[in-house]
Amino acid sequence: MSARTQRGVAGVALVAAMFAGPVWPAHADAGCATAKGVYKQGTPWAQQLLDPQRIWPLSDGTGQTVAVIGTGVDAANTQFAPGQVLPGADLLPGAAAYASADSDCDGRGTFAAGLVGAQASPSTTFAGLAPGVRLLPVRYTQSTGGGAQAGDPARLATAIRTATAAHAGVILVVVPATADSARLRSAVADAIRGGAVVVSPAAAGQAGAHSYPTADPGVIGVGSVDAHGAAQQPETGALLAAPGANLVSTAPARTGHAWGVTDPQFAAAFVAGAAALLRAYRPELTPAQVVTRLTGTADHPATAGRDARLGWGVIDPYLALTSTRSVDAAASNAPTARPRRIAPAAAPARRPTPDRWPGVLAIIGLAAAATAGLAAAAVRRGGARRWQSGRI
């Protein structure tokens, strides 16, 4: 991990300590997920690190549709704007034809959707990364017994085709499958060919196992980090990394959140949000160019080249938007070549964030030293001329 990310995560580690809690999901007995309450503590550490308020003057994702493939999204939560959550599609066995997926008993889809697109609200310090996006829920799996049930690859393939047919610019797989299939690979390839960016978490729970379509070609596989920058998942092969521990987001309730949530599957939501911000700001970019820009502007790991679990490093959405050099779409397909770091454009003036205070203090120190030097020189000249300072 780079020095910048180390400074950033160190500055928010204390805040993150407040969020410690059980891993997802938090169910009431064997029923539906419930809200823990309305989150009113300090700004979540992941939000501090990615700093969406800095990005929103440039892009908030408006015009982009992000498909949230998993367990549905509860449109009733008031931190989603009216009409922001589309009806979507329910692909579960037994669901009525044309059934919508804008409800969510399981809760994982609503949590991920909030990380992507929840609105800023005076009632809470939590907000999503790209609040201007539309959210298209596609339910193809669920778990109401407290387990992290994986999805069926055949039904997941249908879900991805459903999102592609709806012209989603970003397809977020919240709940990946533990097995691959030709149908799934074909659906992913067609989605990318159709212009969609496909994002999926490296969420396998044991070393040597793989998630799908995370491990398939062209997909942005996402690893998870905690507030100290440590990888949180045993699965290897990720392309990028994002926060996945001690998270805060929306719960399936009219008002309310879940927090203290640790699960690698939610790291992918931040990357999907970053991709939506970038696509809204640079609509001419192809999916491959979006991948290259995100990898080329990530905070690269301290290890040389691509890290087995963190890929090319933690995403930096602001730098991904403001980079000025042209990108080579082919670079993202080179598994052994380190992506080029892309130079940032001049950033607009902004309030310093905690991870930048050391630089601000250094500038203040230099200014103070310069002022002291000028004052000393003036006193010396005054003494030579028998000058005395006046009194106030």
Side-chain angles (χ1 to χ4, degrees):
M1 176 171 291
S2 73
R4 175 190 175 277
T5 299
Q6 289 173 340
R7 289 195 302 271
V9 297
V12 297
L14 182 61
V15 176
M18 298 188 300
F19 304 161
V23 296
W24 186 268
H27 289 278
D29 300 322
C32 294
T34 57
K36 191 173 183 178
V38 175
Y39 181 78
K40 295 181 179 293
Q41 300 178 38
T43 303
W45 76 269
Q47 199 168 313
Q48 290 188 48
L49 182 66
L50 301 180
D51 203 359
Q53 288 86 348
R54 186 188 189 196
I55 306 168
W56 292 339
L58 302 175
S59 172
D60 66 357
T62 295
Q64 291 296 305
T65 298
V66 177
V68 181
I69 296 181
T71 64
V73 175
D74 190 349
N77 191 297
T78 56
Q79 214 168 344
F80 297 121
Q84 182 182 16
V85 178
L86 303 173
D90 189 346
L91 306 179
L92 288 178
Y98 307 109
S100 66
D102 52 0
S103 61
D104 182 16
C105 176
D106 182 286
R108 284 175 288 175
T110 302
F111 194 91
L115 295 175
V116 176
Q119 305 297 301
S121 168
S123 66
T124 179
T125 56
F126 165 73
L129 188 58
V133 302
R134 294 182 299 269
L135 298 162
L136 175 71
V138 182
R139 178 164 42 235
Y140 88 105
T141 188
Q142 67 177 345
S143 173
T144 57
Q149 178 180 321
D152 172 67
R155 197 155 56 241
L156 177 53
T158 302
I160 291 173
R161 291 198 179 279
T162 300
T164 303
H167 306 292
V170 179
I171 297 176
L172 166 61
V173 178
V174 178
V175 185
T178 56
D180 202 3
S181 71
R183 286 180 62 183
L184 181 56
R185 289 192 299 273
S186 176
V188 168
D190 287 347
I192 295 172
R193 236 184 334 263
V197 175
V198 182
V199 185
S200 184
Q206 59 186 26
H210 292 286
S211 304
Y212 299 94
T214 313
D216 289 336
V219 176
I220 304 181
V222 184
S224 167
V225 296
D226 65 10
H228 301 282
Q232 295 297 287
Q233 86 289 346
E235 183 174 349
T236 59
L239 190 65
L240 286 165
N246 297 321
L247 301 179
V248 181
S249 190
T250 44
R254 180 166 176 77
T255 57
H257 305 88
W259 60 87
V261 172
T262 295
D263 197 313
Q265 65 190 340
F266 296 124
F270 290 111
V271 176
L277 292 169
L278 182 54
R279 301 214 78 172
Y281 190 64
R282 296 286 302 273
E284 77 280 4
L285 295 180
T286 65
Q289 288 173 324
V290 170
V291 173
T292 299
R293 189 167 286 271
L294 290 173
T295 55
T297 56
D299 279 313
H300 295 161
T303 56
R306 178 175 170 179
D307 183 86
R309 291 192 290 168
L310 302 181
W312 296 115
V314 178
I315 57 167
D316 186 336
Y318 180 78
L319 186 57
L321 265 66
T322 59
S323 299
T324 56
R325 293 183 185 175
S326 61
V327 294
D328 176 9
S332 65
N333 297 320
T336 58
R338 182 184 180 89
R340 292 175 296 143
R341 285 286 291 182
I342 306 172
R350 63 181 294 273
R351 177 176 58 82
T353 52
D355 62 320
R356 294 174 176 82
W357 275 115
V360 174
L361 294 176
I363 293 171
I364 293 173
L366 289 173
T371 302
L374 292 173
V379 169
R380 287 196 297 272
R381 288 196 298 271
R385 299 174 183 174
R386 305 180 184 278
W387 172 84
Q388 293 182 346
S389 61
R391 295 182 178 178
I392 299 177

